[in-house]
Amino acid sequence: MSEEQEGGMSSVKKTILGVLGTAVTGVGIWATTHINSLLGIEDEEETKTEQVTPAPAPVIVNLENNNTQQQNNSGGGTTIIKETVREVPAQAAAPAPAAAPVEEKKETPAERMARLKKQREEQNAGK
């Protein structure tokens, strides 16, 4: 019976110690956050200002048909196009195009690992 009573009192003691520990921790946290005001030290607070730049004015693009203006300004001038004919001898039959180069198949990671293992084994066997 004495063990049961002792156990019951033990839990009460643990509860009281837990509450006191939590309270002391809370007071310590509060004190550290307000340490400067408790000691009479005043901080110079930095005032942060955000500078906002005004949005740029919208760009207005006025497109005009320049072809119409050029035709109106030209005054109806006459354009003369002269064509000349040149005779070029026919070329001999073109040789067959060379075969396209064969692209090598890229090595997969598994193939690379196997190749490197094989090289390492050959190097180790040679030593």
Side-chain angles (χ1 to χ4, degrees):
M1 284 254 181
S2 64
E3 292 176 6
E4 292 176 7
Q5 288 178 347
E6 189 176 320
M9 293 302 287
S10 173
S11 66
V12 171
K13 289 178 186 177
K14 289 180 183 178
T15 303
I16 291 172
L17 288 175
V19 169
L20 288 175
T22 304
V24 169
T25 304
V27 169
I29 291 172
W30 180 84
T32 56
T33 56
H34 296 85
I35 189 94
N36 289 339
S37 63
L38 292 174
L39 297 176
I41 301 171
E42 294 184 18
D43 287 336
E44 295 180 17
E45 293 189 23
E46 248 182 69
T47 57
K48 295 182 180 180
T49 57
E50 183 176 333
Q51 296 180 355
V52 179
T53 57
V59 178
I60 300 172
V61 179
N62 188 6
L63 298 176
E64 296 178 9
N65 190 349
N66 290 334
N67 292 337
T68 307
Q69 291 176 350
Q70 288 176 357
Q71 289 174 356
N72 292 340
N73 293 338
S74 66
T78 307
T79 304
I80 301 172
I81 299 174
K82 295 182 180 180
E83 293 184 17
T84 56
V85 178
R86 292 185 184 171
E87 291 186 21
V88 179
Q91 294 179 353
V102 178
E103 292 184 25
E104 293 184 23
K105 184 177 112 179
K106 290 193 174 187
E107 187 175 45
T108 64
E111 292 171 342
R112 184 170 188 259
M113 291 289 291
R115 180 180 53 84
L116 292 174
K117 283 181 182 178
K118 189 175 182 181
Q119 284 179 354
R120 188 180 322 132
E121 289 173 0
E122 289 173 358
Q123 287 176 353
N124 290 339
K127 286 185 177 179

